[in-house]
Amino acid sequence: MALLLLIFFFFSCKGQDKDEKKKIDTKVYVANCKGKYSTKEKLTERGKTWSLNNNDIEKIMNLSVPLTEEEWHFSYPITPCNINIKGYLYKGKKYDLQINGGSYISFFDGKKT
């Protein structure tokens, strides 16, 4: 009976360390915040303390759509908080990213934004 219980325990726990390793290896990017919103609203303490992990960034990138400069400038408020990432690998290509807390993500591949 003890051997059967031990075998069950081994198989029921198998793979749990992989999930734990994923949590540990997940990179977290913290926002850098300075100044006020484009609407002149002051930044709150809560607004200064946000971050994204790799999964969050992948979701944002997959949901993003191109905008013209006019659409971006007139349609979206800009927060004074950005996450800047150099050399982010996305779909086999490296990009420098800037993720604004309120409105945009820009991809730069070394030639085009």
Side-chain angles (χ1 to χ4, degrees), residues 5-113:
L5 184 60
L6 184 59
I7 291 171
F8 174 75
F9 179 74
F10 174 76
F11 283 109
S12 67
C13 294
K14 191 175 179 179
Q16 286 181 355
D17 58 335
K18 290 180 187 175
D19 292 337
E20 197 61 35
K21 184 168 175 45
K22 281 183 185 178
K23 291 177 187 174
I24 293 170
D25 289 346
T26 300
K27 177 102 173 146
V28 174
Y29 302 93
V30 179
N32 181 15
C33 302
K34 295 177 184 169
K36 296 181 179 182
Y37 285 86
S38 60
T39 59
K40 307 295 184 223
E41 181 182 346
K42 285 187 178 183
L43 188 61
T44 65
E45 286 303 312
R46 184 172 180 232
K48 292 179 186 179
T49 57
W50 61 276
S51 62
L52 299 171
N53 63 38
N54 284 336
N55 292 333
D56 298 327
I57 294 169
E58 287 289 318
K59 288 176 188 174
I60 291 169
M61 293 178 79
N62 287 326
L63 292 170
S64 65
V65 294
L67 296 173
T68 66
E69 283 188 47
E70 291 79 20
E71 287 174 303
W72 172 64
H73 181 73
F74 293 110
S75 300
Y76 298 94
I78 299 170
T79 71
C81 298
N82 294 309
I83 292 178
N84 296 300
I85 305 167
K86 298 276 186 201
Y88 190 85
L89 188 62
Y90 179 68
K91 294 187 178 180
K93 192 170 182 181
K94 285 191 176 184
Y95 294 93
D96 291 343
L97 305 176
Q98 183 175 67
I99 303 170
N100 182 263
S103 63
Y104 69 87
I105 179 172
S106 64
F107 303 46
F108 179 68
D109 65 6
K111 297 176 187 171
K112 184 179 173 185
T113 300

